[in-house]
Amino acid sequence: MGLLTIGAFAKASRLSPKALRLYDELGLLPPARVDPRSGYRLYDPAQLERARLVAWLRRLGMPLARIRTVCELDPGAAAREVRAYWAQVEADTAARRDLAAFLVDQLSQLSQLSGKDIAMSSARGTLGVRYAMLSDRGSVRMSNEDSGYAGPRLLAVADGFGGSRHASEAAIEALKPLETEVPGAELLSALEDAAHRAHASVRELAASDPALRGVGTTLTALVWSGSRLGLVHIGDSRAYLLRDGELFQITHDHTVVRSLLDEGRITAAEAASHPQRALLLRAVGGGAAFEPDLALRDALAGDRYLLCSDGLSGVVTGEEIRRVLGSVADPGEAALELIALANRAGGPDNVTCGVAHVVDGAELPAA
């Protein structure tokens, strides 16, 4: 079969002539030959397979630069790359879905209620928390680089790295202004601003002393506003929710191993013993990417939340966590028992636990 004109090739590949000219300019799909007199682009029918792959990937929304990478891979590696791309799309979509649901809810309330009614509704729906935060250096480490904070509106855990506790302390300090009341409609903005303050503080710390170069920290925090709960998360510390007897991990680990697991490149069993299981893809400072996850949730009376560093989640099973959160009524005693479980499992790392029980505001003692 001879060469195809750009029109015939466009029809066969389901790409427009305009798209084919762009892909030629980008070096993604150059023609087999360009007529020296007319300048017409001519394509080999053997190029149709690549052209169709490009068309499919564009329909997925994949950026052209990444499509070029996929097209140069063997089929197996290309499949893994597409799987990795789609896993990221789904994660991004989930975050935007939570934000959209929050905005729909907020705007619906504004359209139905007067300002006075909104205030009364908020007061009736106000929840409170009973909380505790405990930290332990574990059975192996000589020092504790974790930091935590627990208050009526803010629960936060930071797991520092780089040989100093200063990074985790700086990150927690940057979040403390959130302890003042934040309107539910401003939770996401307040959390994002606080995360950026934490990142700036840790970077300034690292620049202040050569001995602190490379320090960084994870950061996971919850902020309550009435019946709304805001979450900011970066790194591999975790947030869990126990609701109606079921335990949910509500954060996603930003680690190399979690990424490989999501992409199907390793199994769960391989992840548990992977040599890079502690390597972070995102963090506050430390040279890793700074891209915190932000989410809004509805809090319900009876919910029990746990924030913890990986010194707990790395050695204590989800079933054990579920049992403790569900059976120990006092948050402080629950945190103490969880830390004891981590140390009985060898205590290979610092371990920090923040536990919060959501209750109706009327159940809290008067200030």
Side-chain angles (χ1 to χ4, degrees), residues 59-90:
R59 289 182 67 184
L60 278 180
M62 184 178 286
L64 290 172
R66 194 159 185 175
I67 289 175
R68 184 185 295 111
T69 299
V70 172
C71 288
E72 299 303 324
L73 298 173
D74 64 72
R80 290 191 293 272
E81 185 67 21
V82 172
R83 186 184 298 116
Y85 167 74
W86 194 248
Q88 184 60 54
V89 169
E90 289 183 323

Side-chain angles (χ1 to χ4, degrees), residues 125-131 152 224 226 300-301 303 356-362 364:
T126 296
L127 299 174
V129 290
R130 294 193 175 99
Y131 52 86
W224 279 269
L300 300 177
D303 285 349
H357 294 180
V358 181
V359 297
D360 188 285
L364 295 174

Side-chain angles (χ1 to χ4, degrees), residues 343-363:
N343 285 329
R344 285 201 291 272
D349 199 355
N350 307 147
V351 55
T352 300
C353 296
V355 178
H357 294 180
V358 181
V359 297
D360 188 285
E363 297 179 35

Side-chain angles (χ1 to χ4, degrees), residues 116-189:
K116 181 178 179 181
D117 288 335
I118 291 170
M120 292 173 63
S121 175
S122 175
R124 285 196 300 270
T126 296
L127 299 174
V129 290
R130 294 193 175 99
Y131 52 86
M133 178 70 64
L134 293 174
S135 187
D136 189 89
R137 67 180 176 85
S139 303
V140 175
R141 299 291 178 90
M142 298 302 296
S143 62
N144 190 350
E145 294 183 53
D146 287 2
S147 295
Y149 176 86
R153 300 186 186 279
L154 172 66
L155 194 73
V157 166
D159 181 354
F161 57 85
S164 169
R165 187 175 185 172
H166 296 313
S168 62
E169 289 176 336
I172 294 293
E173 197 64 31
L175 262 63
K176 285 185 179 179
L178 295 173
E179 187 63 79
T180 59
E181 186 169 3
V182 179
E186 298 175 15
L187 266 180
L188 274 187
S189 297

Side-chain angles (χ1 to χ4, degrees), residues 11 38 51 62 73 86 151 157 173 177 187 189 200 208 211 214-215 230 239 276 288 290 312 316 327 338:
K11 185 176 181 180
S38 64
M62 184 178 286
L73 298 173
W86 194 248
V157 166
E173 197 64 31
L187 266 180
S189 297
S208 68
V215 298
Q276 292 182 311
F290 176 71
L312 179 77
V316 177
S327 63
L338 289 168

Side-chain angles (χ1 to χ4, degrees), residues 9 20-21 23-34 41-44 47 50 72:
F9 191 78
L20 289 173
R21 286 191 287 270
Y23 299 159
D24 178 17
E25 292 169 6
L26 295 175
L28 181 60
L29 192 61
R33 188 167 73 86
V34 177
R41 294 171 172 84
L42 300 170
Y43 293 83
D44 192 315
Q47 293 180 280
R50 180 180 178 120
E72 299 303 324

Side-chain angles (χ1 to χ4, degrees), residues 150-328:
R153 300 186 186 279
L154 172 66
L155 194 73
V157 166
D159 181 354
F161 57 85
S164 169
R165 187 175 185 172
H166 296 313
S168 62
E169 289 176 336
I172 294 293
E173 197 64 31
L175 262 63
K176 285 185 179 179
L178 295 173
E179 187 63 79
T180 59
E181 186 169 3
V182 179
E186 298 175 15
L187 266 180
L188 274 187
S189 297
L191 281 166
E192 186 172 25
D193 290 345
H196 281 277
R197 287 198 304 271
H199 187 53
S201 295
V202 173
R203 286 171 63 92
E204 289 172 10
L205 177 70
S208 68
D209 185 343
L212 298 177
R213 187 174 299 132
V215 298
T217 184
T218 70
L219 184 62
T220 303
L222 296 171
V223 178
W224 279 269
S225 179
S227 61
R228 285 290 185 186
L229 182 153
L231 167 69
V232 62
H233 165 71
I234 185 166
D236 64 349
S237 295
R238 291 182 178 179
Y240 291 94
L241 164 64
L242 182 74
R243 176 175 287 175
D244 296 329
E246 290 191 64
L247 184 71
F248 306 92
Q249 182 183 335
I250 59 174
T251 53
H252 189 82
D253 296 345
H254 299 143
T255 62
V256 169
V257 165
R258 183 71 252 181
S259 177
L260 294 173
L261 193 59
D262 290 343
E263 295 165 14
R265 299 185 186 187
I266 60 173
T267 65
E270 291 170 331
S273 59
H274 197 283
Q276 292 182 311
R277 59 186 178 278
L279 187 60
L280 296 173
L281 292 175
R282 301 192 219 169
V284 179
F290 176 71
E291 188 181 342
D293 291 340
L294 297 163
L296 289 160
R297 305 181 66 88
D298 288 317
L300 300 177
D303 285 349
R304 296 189 173 187
Y305 287 90
L306 166 69
L307 267 56
C308 65
S309 59
D310 66 338
L312 179 77
S313 59
V315 295
V316 177
T317 67
E319 178 55 33
E320 289 177 306
I321 291 172
R322 188 198 66 78
R323 177 187 60 78
V324 173
L325 292 181
S327 63
V328 181

